[in-house]
Amino acid sequence: MTFRENANIGGGRARRGGGGGGGMAVGGGIGALLLALLVMLFGGDPGQVLQPQSQGQDSSAQNVDLAECRTGADANENVDCRMKGGMASLETYWTEVYPRAAPATAILFSGGVNTQCGQASSAVGPFYCPLDRQIYLDTSFFQQLEGQLGAEGGSLGELYVLAHEYGHHIQNYTGALQASQQSRQGEESGAVRVELQADCFAGAWVGHVAQGEDALLEPPTEEQIRSALSAAAAVGDDSIQERMQGQVTPHTWTHGSSEQRMGWFMRGYQSADANQCDVLNAASVDDY
Ligand SMILES: [Zn+2]
């Protein structure tokens, strides 16, 4: 999506984090990649993927100074500013739709980061830590999304990822996140339902923006919607398993298939109503 050039994005809650990179392997080996894929768009099981807290040196690279991200033009130009702008829009949206949830903060890091959920390397992909209620994201993930995972790329694909994580933050308040702990894998599992709901929430936000009343973002173009769908498809469990292990094993799914992820995103988008995202109580995850 494109930000309105003169929009003020200064209020977006995003800051730099780091301190978790030292001593951890974050290289591009297949092991690291596989780990990243298994937990991508991470949904709520820190113990599975995060290393125990330990002291590590700060490996975060300085990109832009987030304080310099002031306008929509900055967000259109720079991915870090885009995340900050996205957080501003998401906060406004969710404050209205679900005021019980406090605003989330996004921590942008490179290499590794310390969180209340433990220490994580970039290899785990973007994730949400329910304990400190923060979104963690290394924007280099977007290159992986477009490269290894085959997404088309584009700003809406990136903002979809951010909005998905913000969805987990909302679920932390609604209690939905617990469902992912109760049944952790399988086609109709709580984990999959939680992930699909986060996709639907992302779609509902984009649908809201499409109505033309968002102060920061212009309504998405059809091409941009396709880029979001492409990103959703790229992170489907079947797509990832096909790429990584050459076969699809639905009983191990944690995020849902490409079709399901696109389907729930579109349900949110077309209704522009987060109340239409009740995946947890749907008879089937295919009922989008
Ligand atoms: Zn997720």
Side-chain angles (χ1 to χ4, degrees), residues 39-44 126 164-165 168 171 194-195 198-199 255 261:
V39 298
M40 203 158 43
L41 306 186
F42 176 70
H164 172 101
E165 297 304 334
H168 287 319
Q171 291 171 323
V194 164
E195 294 299 333
D199 287 335
H255 285 70
R261 300 198 71 164

mmCIF file of all heavy atoms in Angstrom, residues 39-44 126 164-165 168 171 194-195 198-199 255 261, ligand 1:
data_model
loop_
_atom_site.group_PDB
_atom_site.id
_atom_site.type_symbol
_atom_site.label_atom_id
_atom_site.label_comp_id
_atom_site.label_asym_id
_atom_site.label_seq_id
_atom_site.Cartn_x
_atom_site.Cartn_y
_atom_site.Cartn_z
ATOM 1 N N VAL A 39 8.673 -21.498 11.845
ATOM 2 C CA VAL A 39 8.058 -20.592 12.810
ATOM 3 C C VAL A 39 7.703 -19.256 12.186
ATOM 4 O O VAL A 39 7.383 -18.310 12.857
ATOM 5 C CB VAL A 39 8.996 -20.335 14.001
ATOM 6 C CG1 VAL A 39 9.265 -21.628 14.725
ATOM 7 C CG2 VAL A 39 10.259 -19.676 13.548
ATOM 8 N N MET A 40 7.734 -19.200 10.924
ATOM 9 C CA MET A 40 7.520 -17.930 10.278
ATOM 10 C C MET A 40 6.154 -17.355 10.619
ATOM 11 O O MET A 40 5.200 -18.092 10.800
ATOM 12 C CB MET A 40 7.616 -18.125 8.792
ATOM 13 C CG MET A 40 7.959 -16.880 8.097
ATOM 14 S SD MET A 40 8.635 -17.329 6.564
ATOM 15 C CE MET A 40 7.508 -18.582 6.156
ATOM 16 N N LEU A 41 6.118 -16.056 10.667
ATOM 17 C CA LEU A 41 4.889 -15.398 11.080
ATOM 18 C C LEU A 41 4.406 -16.080 12.342
ATOM 19 O O LEU A 41 3.314 -16.564 12.473
ATOM 20 C CB LEU A 41 3.833 -15.456 9.985
ATOM 21 C CG LEU A 41 4.301 -14.920 8.649
ATOM 22 C CD1 LEU A 41 3.161 -14.885 7.661
ATOM 23 C CD2 LEU A 41 4.928 -13.559 8.757
ATOM 24 N N PHE A 42 5.275 -16.052 13.215
ATOM 25 C CA PHE A 42 5.234 -16.815 14.441
ATOM 26 C C PHE A 42 3.961 -16.564 15.234
ATOM 27 O O PHE A 42 3.516 -15.458 15.377
ATOM 28 C CB PHE A 42 6.461 -16.399 15.238
ATOM 29 C CG PHE A 42 6.540 -17.005 16.562
ATOM 30 C CD1 PHE A 42 6.799 -18.339 16.691
ATOM 31 C CD2 PHE A 42 6.348 -16.225 17.666
ATOM 32 C CE1 PHE A 42 6.892 -18.905 17.924
ATOM 33 C CE2 PHE A 42 6.437 -16.792 18.903
ATOM 34 C CZ PHE A 42 6.705 -18.132 19.031
ATOM 35 N N GLY A 43 3.397 -17.639 15.767
ATOM 36 C CA GLY A 43 2.080 -17.483 16.347
ATOM 37 C C GLY A 43 1.905 -17.743 17.824
ATOM 38 O O GLY A 43 0.806 -17.643 18.312
ATOM 39 N N GLY A 44 2.881 -18.080 18.551
ATOM 40 C CA GLY A 44 2.609 -18.180 19.978
ATOM 41 C C GLY A 44 3.204 -19.356 20.718
ATOM 42 O O GLY A 44 2.603 -19.864 21.646
ATOM 43 N N PRO A 126 9.621 -12.987 11.503
ATOM 44 C CA PRO A 126 8.882 -12.033 12.343
ATOM 45 C C PRO A 126 8.050 -12.785 13.378
ATOM 46 O O PRO A 126 7.497 -13.836 13.082
ATOM 47 C CB PRO A 126 7.953 -11.322 11.342
ATOM 48 C CG PRO A 126 8.578 -11.547 10.005
ATOM 49 C CD PRO A 126 9.264 -12.868 10.087
ATOM 50 N N HIS A 164 -0.394 -8.938 10.323
ATOM 51 C CA HIS A 164 -0.598 -10.288 10.872
ATOM 52 C C HIS A 164 -0.059 -10.346 12.304
ATOM 53 O O HIS A 164 -0.725 -10.865 13.210
ATOM 54 C CB HIS A 164 0.110 -11.301 9.965
ATOM 55 C CG HIS A 164 0.147 -12.696 10.502
ATOM 56 N ND1 HIS A 164 -0.703 -13.684 10.072
ATOM 57 C CD2 HIS A 164 0.945 -13.272 11.440
ATOM 58 C CE1 HIS A 164 -0.438 -14.806 10.721
ATOM 59 N NE2 HIS A 164 0.562 -14.584 11.561
ATOM 60 N N GLU A 165 1.138 -9.825 12.503
ATOM 61 C CA GLU A 165 1.717 -9.842 13.853
ATOM 62 C C GLU A 165 0.905 -8.972 14.805
ATOM 63 O O GLU A 165 0.720 -9.315 15.972
ATOM 64 C CB GLU A 165 3.184 -9.399 13.817
ATOM 65 C CG GLU A 165 4.111 -10.303 13.008
ATOM 66 C CD GLU A 165 4.079 -11.757 13.460
ATOM 67 O OE1 GLU A 165 3.766 -12.028 14.627
ATOM 68 O OE2 GLU A 165 4.350 -12.646 12.620
ATOM 69 N N HIS A 168 -1.826 -10.896 16.186
ATOM 70 C CA HIS A 168 -1.489 -11.736 17.350
ATOM 71 C C HIS A 168 -1.555 -10.917 18.642
ATOM 72 O O HIS A 168 -1.927 -11.433 19.701
ATOM 73 C CB HIS A 168 -0.086 -12.338 17.202
ATOM 74 C CG HIS A 168 -0.018 -13.435 16.183
ATOM 75 N ND1 HIS A 168 -0.991 -14.389 16.056
ATOM 76 C CD2 HIS A 168 0.923 -13.748 15.248
ATOM 77 C CE1 HIS A 168 -0.657 -15.242 15.087
ATOM 78 N NE2 HIS A 168 0.492 -14.864 14.585
ATOM 79 N N GLN A 171 -5.055 -10.766 19.609
ATOM 80 C CA GLN A 171 -5.425 -12.086 20.146
ATOM 81 C C GLN A 171 -4.909 -12.300 21.569
ATOM 82 O O GLN A 171 -5.484 -13.067 22.340
ATOM 83 C CB GLN A 171 -4.866 -13.189 19.238
ATOM 84 C CG GLN A 171 -5.548 -13.245 17.876
ATOM 85 C CD GLN A 171 -4.834 -14.197 16.932
ATOM 86 O OE1 GLN A 171 -3.601 -14.299 16.943
ATOM 87 N NE2 GLN A 171 -5.596 -14.894 16.110
ATOM 88 N N VAL A 194 -5.599 -19.847 14.977
ATOM 89 C CA VAL A 194 -5.064 -18.572 15.460
ATOM 90 C C VAL A 194 -4.328 -17.840 14.328
ATOM 91 O O VAL A 194 -4.476 -16.633 14.139
ATOM 92 C CB VAL A 194 -4.126 -18.824 16.672
ATOM 93 C CG1 VAL A 194 -3.249 -17.610 16.948
ATOM 94 C CG2 VAL A 194 -4.958 -19.176 17.902
ATOM 95 N N GLU A 195 -3.550 -18.598 13.572
ATOM 96 C CA GLU A 195 -2.801 -17.984 12.468
ATOM 97 C C GLU A 195 -3.738 -17.449 11.386
ATOM 98 O O GLU A 195 -3.538 -16.357 10.854
ATOM 99 C CB GLU A 195 -1.822 -18.997 11.871
ATOM 100 C CG GLU A 195 -0.710 -19.408 12.815
ATOM 101 C CD GLU A 195 0.161 -18.238 13.248
ATOM 102 O OE1 GLU A 195 0.274 -17.248 12.485
ATOM 103 O OE2 GLU A 195 0.714 -18.290 14.346
ATOM 104 N N ALA A 198 -5.301 -14.274 12.426
ATOM 105 C CA ALA A 198 -4.378 -13.138 12.278
ATOM 106 C C ALA A 198 -4.334 -12.675 10.822
ATOM 107 O O ALA A 198 -4.240 -11.471 10.538
ATOM 108 C CB ALA A 198 -2.982 -13.523 12.779
ATOM 109 N N ASP A 199 -4.410 -13.618 9.891
ATOM 110 C CA ASP A 199 -4.480 -13.250 8.471
ATOM 111 C C ASP A 199 -5.766 -12.487 8.170
ATOM 112 O O ASP A 199 -5.774 -11.503 7.426
ATOM 113 C CB ASP A 199 -4.422 -14.499 7.583
ATOM 114 C CG ASP A 199 -3.028 -15.117 7.539
ATOM 115 O OD1 ASP A 199 -2.042 -14.394 7.771
ATOM 116 O OD2 ASP A 199 -2.928 -16.323 7.252
ATOM 117 N N HIS A 255 0.143 -23.192 10.442
ATOM 118 C CA HIS A 255 -0.311 -21.881 9.955
ATOM 119 C C HIS A 255 -1.443 -21.958 8.934
ATOM 120 O O HIS A 255 -2.046 -20.947 8.619
ATOM 121 C CB HIS A 255 0.855 -21.116 9.330
ATOM 122 C CG HIS A 255 1.816 -20.551 10.341
ATOM 123 N ND1 HIS A 255 2.649 -21.341 11.092
ATOM 124 C CD2 HIS A 255 2.052 -19.287 10.750
ATOM 125 C CE1 HIS A 255 3.370 -20.571 11.896
ATOM 126 N NE2 HIS A 255 3.023 -19.321 11.715
ATOM 127 N N ARG A 261 -4.882 -19.363 3.863
ATOM 128 C CA ARG A 261 -4.340 -18.067 4.284
ATOM 129 C C ARG A 261 -4.867 -16.962 3.387
ATOM 130 O O ARG A 261 -5.249 -15.884 3.847
ATOM 131 C CB ARG A 261 -2.809 -18.103 4.313
ATOM 132 C CG ARG A 261 -2.271 -19.152 5.284
ATOM 133 C CD ARG A 261 -0.835 -18.926 5.666
ATOM 134 N NE ARG A 261 -0.723 -17.756 6.531
ATOM 135 C CZ ARG A 261 0.346 -17.474 7.274
ATOM 136 N NH1 ARG A 261 1.403 -18.271 7.241
ATOM 137 N NH2 ARG A 261 0.379 -16.404 8.034
HETATM 138 ZN ZN ZN B 1 1.455 -15.748 13.033
#
